[in-house]
Amino acid sequence: MSNQNALGKDRLIWIYTQMARIREFEERVKRTFLEHPGAMRGHTHLADGAEASIVGALATRNATDLAMPTYRCHAQPIVLGTSPRKMMAELYGRKDGLCKGFGGSMHLADPEHHFPGTSAIVGQSIAHAAGAALTAQVKNTGQIVYCFFGDGASKQGAFFETLNMAAVWKLPIVFILENNEYQAYTHVRLEDANAQASDPLSQKAAAFSIPGITVDGTDPLQVYDAVAEAAERARAGLGPSLIESKFYRFSAHGNAITVPPVPTQFPEHEAIGVYGNKAEFRTAKERDPIPRFRAQLLRQNIVTEGELLRIEDSARAEMDDAVHFALASPHPDPEEATNYVYA
Ligand SMILES: Cc1ncc(C[n+]2csc(CCOP(=O)(O)OP(=O)(O)O)c2C)c(N)n1
Ligand SMILES: [Mg+2]
């Protein structure tokens, strides 16, 4: 774990705290699907396994910079300061939700916290990020955009068209390609899936003459270093960079009660369909970013076991409270069903 930018103790603890908060939020969503099927409607996609990558990237952010994730979008707003209570209520489709219960997991938005919104369309964040970055450039706001998208999305036309224009216009964007090894049910490995003609995926940057680098996305400090450099470039008006961050998606592609459970070798995940093979899952779990970073902080005497336990207790209490808040909130009135519909 290198950290050329030598983050101080407070910042390292902040990183661990955000990672723990994300994992606790996602665990509660997962549990809801397992224990109370039907309580959450629509699809949800979890970010367990991605915590180091997301927090390491957003730790480089200035206060007004924007983050634009995919439909796998619970983690980024948690880091930006969005209320987990409102997010959880939104996932439960309740009136006090972030979007009044109308959006659900895949359509979160919180402009007040620099989170313009998401959609279910693979690749949408790439083009939307370019629009937001163009606004920042034209209005000279000094903001940069952290654009997250998947390995699957990096095969889309939107990726190639947007990276071309972003490079030509020197837009202030950091493109963070989240290589979680899967594109829904297709593995990224060339020989298995025959679906991805590029390895590493970061070499796609060369087509646009922008920097491209691959990092270990299970190490928040490696991600931090790479993204800090890319963010500096973007702030200096030198344009976008592409960071491929590699980690493993621990949960199934998505949870939905409308989708029948996928056969799985992991009984604890039966209802949410983890479909990888056992050996692959176990190997990835050994590199789980949260226990690894925890052990690192202890080894380097940055925190004590007691401090870590307090952080973890507080994350658990915060997310339990978010569930209680959500369940206490009413469903929207049926008469409101066509409100906020513009097309
Ligand atoms: C334009 C479009 N095509 C297909 C889909 C169906 N779909 C949803 S997620 C997904 C895979 C995306 O994989 P990746 O980009 O690697 O992101 P990840 O889910 O792994 O984070 C697909 C094909 C969609 N939602 N939108
Ligand atoms: Mg993927």
Side-chain angles (χ1 to χ4, degrees), residues 45 70-72 120-123 149-154 156 178 180 182-184 249 253:
H45 305 80
T70 68
Y71 43 81
R72 202 176 292 288
I121 307 300
V122 172
F149 55 96
D151 43 293
S154 79
Q156 282 195 323
E178 303 180 298
N180 60 9
Y182 280 95
Q183 308 156 16
R249 193 195 65 199
H253 170 64

Side-chain angles (χ1 to χ4, degrees), residues 20-34:
R21 292 175 72 231
I22 293 168
R23 180 67 61 94
E24 291 297 334
F25 185 93
E26 299 293 52
E27 286 297 324
R28 273 148 193 77
V29 178
K30 194 185 287 189
R31 215 180 291 159
T32 302
F33 276 86
L34 289 170

